[in-house]
Amino acid sequence: MTEVIVSETLAAANARLAAALRQAGRSADAARLLAVSKTKPDAMVRDTYLAGQRDFGENYLQEALDKQEALADLQDIVWHLIGPLQSNKTRAVAEHFAWVHSVDREKIARRLDEQRPDALPPLNICLQVNVSGEPSKSGVTLDELEPLAAAVMNMPHLVLRGLMAIPAPATSFEEQRAPLAALRKALERLQMRYPQAPLDTLSMGMSDDLEAAVAEGATLVRLGTAIFGARQ
Ligand SMILES: *Cc1c(COP(=O)(O)O)cnc(C)c1O
């Protein structure tokens, strides 16, 4: 296997994002990369940070905590939890992350709110929506979204920033766009309902559907493979 040079793959990923934004007629700073570093060693995360990346996404709590400890000297690194979250693990998440993208139950949100230390800024939350309607997937349905959003809005240690989705794989660009458009419209409805809230985040788009996601308004594109290479 050839070794991945993250300074090069990161530059290529940023160029790909810039091209997608231009193609969509959006401004160059309308979306940014979230580097998904699950299963990759902390040395690789450090190299990516040194190449200019600040936002990193992790799926597994213990792995993330180990990396955070190894990289504690990187003061302005921003850690996002993007994987499923069990209610018995919320305390460590509330204490050690800046963002959680995978909130899909009020009980989890309530625990994060109660356990977020007062000394830290509010925890940034994206609600995960099951846009493709797959029965076994995480995420609320579009019908369940409104009451969950209303509950999170009232939690003082959380700040609702937007929505996240992992659509079912699709082959054509148009097929990719449909669920991403549904997520964008769901965010637009929340923005109309809560005009004062900082609802500025659409966490969508991965290595295979970045262009479709940017065309539909993604603001935070979660790239793993494209930056770090294939996972084992
Ligand atoms: C792993 C993962 C990604 C990155 O996927 P790639 O296809 O490697 O870019 C993005 N989002 C979530 C939620 C993930 O679990």
Side-chain angles (χ1 to χ4, degrees):
M1 200 181 93
T2 49
E3 200 188 335
V4 172
I5 316 272
V6 289
S7 59
E8 292 175 4
T9 52
L10 179 66
N14 273 308
R16 184 177 163 195
L17 176 60
L21 284 165
R22 222 176 302 119
Q23 179 72 29
R26 301 175 61 200
S27 69
D29 62 357
R32 68 184 194 282
L33 294 184
L34 175 59
V36 177
S37 43
K38 62 174 174 238
T39 78
K40 301 297 177 179
D42 52 68
M44 226 171 169
V45 175
R46 183 179 295 277
D47 287 347
T48 313
Y49 174 94
L50 292 173
Q53 178 66 25
R54 289 296 175 270
D55 290 281
F56 290 87
E58 290 281 341
N59 290 60
Y60 312 108
L61 179 60
Q62 191 53 53
E63 181 191 340
L65 295 176
D66 291 345
K67 277 182 215 176
Q68 290 174 358
E69 199 174 312
L71 301 169
D73 57 309
L74 308 180
Q75 305 233 333
D76 60 348
I77 196 167
V78 181
W79 293 104
H80 299 240
L81 185 75
I82 62 173
L85 175 51
Q86 295 159 3
S87 58
N88 62 342
K89 303 228 173 117
T90 49
R91 183 174 298 279
V93 175
E95 291 175 351
H96 294 281
F97 285 82
W99 287 74
V100 180
H101 293 228
S102 44
V103 172
D104 63 359
R105 278 184 289 155
E106 184 175 337
K107 180 184 171 193
I108 297 271
R110 198 160 299 290
R111 289 176 68 95
L112 291 170
D113 180 48
E114 286 164 6
Q115 294 167 345
R116 181 69 168 173
D118 282 324
L120 294 178
L123 183 59
N124 295 292
I125 299 293
C126 290
L127 302 178
Q128 184 172 351
V129 182
N130 182 357
V131 276
S132 306
E134 296 165 279
S136 62
K137 277 286 187 67
S138 308
V140 292
T141 64
L142 288 169
D143 288 341
E144 295 162 339
L145 177 59
E146 174 63 34
L148 180 58
V152 172
M153 283 287 175
N154 284 321
M155 297 184 186
H157 297 98
L158 306 185
V159 54
L160 184 58
R161 296 295 298 272
L163 304 178
M164 182 274 239
I166 310 172
T171 42
S172 74
F173 188 75
E174 289 311 318
E175 224 184 300
Q176 286 179 340
R177 270 183 87 147
L180 300 163
L183 194 71
R184 171 177 53 76
K185 288 177 192 151
L187 182 66
E188 287 168 357
R189 284 193 294 274
L190 288 180
Q191 287 168 334
M192 285 215 291
R193 188 168 184 121
Y194 302 102
Q196 313 295 334
L199 285 163
D200 55 6
T201 302
L202 268 179
S203 169
M204 62 188 198
M206 319 204 316
S207 295
D208 287 335
D209 63 354
L210 177 149
E211 284 75 15
V214 168
E216 287 298 344
T219 66
L220 202 47
V221 178
R222 307 183 309 267
L223 288 193
T225 310
I227 297 171
F228 297 106
R231 291 178 292 273
Q232 296 296 306

